[in-house]
Amino acid sequence: MSIAVPTVTEAFEKRFGAKPELVVRAPGRVNIIGEHTDYNHGFVLPMAIERETAIAGRRRDDGLLVARAENLNRDVTVRLDERVRNAAEPWIDYIMGVVDELLKAGKTPVGADILILGDVPLGCGLSSSAALEMAALCLFEELGGFNFDGPEAARLGQRVENNFLGLKSGIMDQFISRCGKADHGLFLDCRSFAYDLVPISFDNALFVIANTKCARGLTASKYNERVGECGEAVAALRAGTGREGTHLRDFTLEDLEVCRGGMSEIAFRRARHVITEDVRTQKACEAMRAGDKVTLGAFMTASDISLRDDYEVTSPELNAMADAARALPGCHGARMTGAGFGGCTINLVDADKAAAFCAELMQGYTKATGIVGELILSRPADGAGRMA
Ligand code: GLA
């Protein structure tokens, strides 16, 4: 855990003049492999990180949510029965989205004084939004005396993004933020929601997260555009094969070649990424289970090339960071992670070369781009829950 309970409690007391009833937390995540596959009903392999969002809360019985975002130094009061977007304080939308979906699910969120404090960097592809949603859900569960199971909680969080926030995102971020486990990655089938916690224990290797410090604008519209392109490919695959199928998960690389003429070149390349990424993710998971860092690293790099050339969600800065990493001793693989267009890379590096790798990566990145990057080192962390 990266946030200490007394820190949150003290900030709450300073704002509200009394002790909170409880403190909950939910982590950010990094995806090891399986990118842009979740909304295509494919496979992902993320891990939760030791960066989290904590919320201290105390119930109120007047139907109000009095909220403070400590990091942003912003306060807002909203009525729980007025579930509308807030243009002035957009951070509260993630919580109002949870309130909205709870009510649709027949649960009653109680009013509360809350203070939010976190250390997941914002807009860097490490899922600060999923961490906030899952922490808020945890708070309402604890105060309301109800409980969702892990997959149900994650699906509620996904609906917050899809319905309240208008992002057609998949289930990965909320799932790992809720269901992650210390020292484990989580292999998830995004169609059945069956998942497996896979121990991460390499002989002399660790993951290094590198932040390009470049958050791209228009991520939401570009993201939804990719979702649409995958839909176009599915329609052409159904027509061309004469088979039923709702998602790219239902088709193979052979199907794609057969149907190539029936779709745009863009849709073809998007589908090629997704279909090959699903194969890579399953094989990479086996390599991770076997502690085979060389094979896992090779799949990570292949994933990055596919995201760069076929899915086109990298950026010059992400490419510079990944290229710089792959040129360094002890690096088994490097790839962009998350939605893309900016944000972070994840690297699999020999532990005994990690210190030199980190220093040289930062130098190489700055030399290539003129930007000062940032390193984030984290063990795989536990999913959301109440703090002691
Ligand atoms: C974002 C979305 C996820 C997933 C990734 C790309 O993080 O929220 O659902 O689609 O992008 O893999």
Side-chain angles (χ1 to χ4, degrees):
M1 260 155 244
S2 57
I3 307 249
V5 176
T7 315
V8 197
T9 307
E10 277 160 31
F12 183 95
E13 281 187 63
K14 194 165 160 227
R15 166 65 181 82
F16 294 105
K19 284 197 189 308
E21 263 173 70
L22 80 170
V23 183
V24 295
R25 59 166 283 283
R29 65 98 186 91
V30 66
N31 191 17
I32 300 167
I33 192 166
E35 215 68 84
H36 289 278
T37 47
D38 58 355
Y39 52 83
N40 290 298
H41 283 190
F43 303 96
V44 294
L45 182 59
M47 68 182 214
I49 57 172
E50 294 165 316
R51 295 292 187 104
E52 63 197 5
T53 298
I55 306 181
R58 182 183 59 171
R59 90 187 61 223
R60 321 175 40 106
D61 42 28
D62 56 2
L64 294 179
L65 189 67
V66 182
R68 170 161 182 79
E70 187 71 14
N71 301 80
L72 307 176
N73 193 21
R74 305 290 300 178
D75 291 89
V76 72
T77 297
V78 289
R79 292 173 53 108
L80 291 177
D81 58 0
E82 274 176 16
R83 290 120 61 200
V84 286
R85 297 277 295 263
N86 190 323
E89 305 294 341
W91 52 275
I92 200 69
D93 288 350
Y94 296 92
I95 298 176
M96 282 316 278
V98 171
V99 168
D100 192 40
E101 289 299 335
L102 278 173
L103 286 161
K104 286 191 208 161
K107 303 290 183 199
T108 310
V110 297
D113 293 329
I114 63 170
L115 179 130
I116 308 160
L117 178 67
D119 64 359
V120 188
L122 305 182
C124 294
L126 299 177
S127 291
S128 54
S129 28
L132 179 52
E133 290 153 6
M134 290 297 97
L137 177 58
C138 203
L139 178 99
F140 289 122
E141 286 177 324
E142 292 282 341
L143 290 179
F146 53 85
N147 183 250
F148 290 91
D149 72 24
E152 279 176 349
R155 288 164 78 178
L156 188 143
Q158 182 190 13
R159 292 198 298 273
V160 172
E161 295 281 343
N162 296 170
N163 299 333
F164 204 76
L165 303 168
L167 188 71
K168 296 178 179 162
S169 57
I171 189 115
M172 170 170 69
D173 306 345
Q174 290 78 15
F175 209 104
I176 183 65
S177 181
R178 175 78 174 215
C179 301
K181 187 170 173 218
D183 297 323
H184 289 71
L186 187 152
F187 179 74
L188 172 66
D189 178 334
C190 301
R191 170 162 276 171
S192 68
F193 307 120
Y195 69 100
D196 196 10
L197 291 161
V198 184
I200 301 186
S201 58
F202 292 108
D203 178 25
N204 181 38
L206 47 85
F207 291 113
V208 172
I209 302 166
N211 186 355
T212 62
K213 288 284 199 173
C214 273
R216 278 288 157 107
L218 296 177
T219 306
S221 62
K222 293 263 182 219
Y223 187 98
N224 288 349
E225 185 181 293
R226 294 297 179 282
V227 178
E229 290 160 352
C230 291
E232 183 199 328
V234 169
L237 282 157
R238 285 164 59 109
T241 60
R243 291 208 317 269
E244 288 303 307
T246 53
H247 292 78
L248 285 172
R249 165 76 174 269
D250 300 311
F251 299 97
T252 65
L253 207 52
E254 290 70 43
D255 295 332
L256 189 63
E257 284 300 342
V258 170
C259 301
R260 186 170 189 162
M263 66 184 84
S264 68
E265 180 61 20
I266 295 251
F268 171 79
R269 286 194 285 118
R270 305 299 190 245
R272 182 166 61 187
H273 163 73
V274 173
I275 292 172
T276 57
E277 183 80 350
D278 271 337
V279 176
R280 278 188 292 272
T281 303
Q282 292 171 83
K283 289 185 177 166
C285 183
E286 287 320 307
M288 194 165 92
R289 218 185 279 282
D292 180 353
K293 58 189 177 185
V294 175
T295 304
L296 174 58
F299 282 126
M300 289 169 64
T301 292
S303 164
D304 191 57
I305 306 296
S306 177
L307 287 156
R308 184 190 71 193
D309 298 344
D310 273 351
Y311 219 67
E312 297 181 283
V313 290
T314 64
S315 65
E317 294 81 16
L318 282 167
N319 295 341
M321 191 71 93
D323 287 341
R326 291 193 283 256
L328 291 172
C331 177
H332 296 289
R335 59 180 290 276
M336 59 144 277
T337 185
F341 309 107
C344 294
T345 64
I346 176 167
N347 309 273
L348 182 58
V349 184
D350 279 336
D352 59 359
K353 302 205 179 69
F357 171 88
C358 287
E360 284 167 39
L361 180 61
M362 290 297 98
Q363 280 166 20
Y365 176 68
T366 302
K367 200 169 158 213
T369 60
I371 302 164
V372 178
E374 177 196 20
L375 293 162
I376 296 165
L377 293 172
S378 171
R379 304 274 320 149
D382 276 325
R386 189 170 178 156
M387 291 171 97

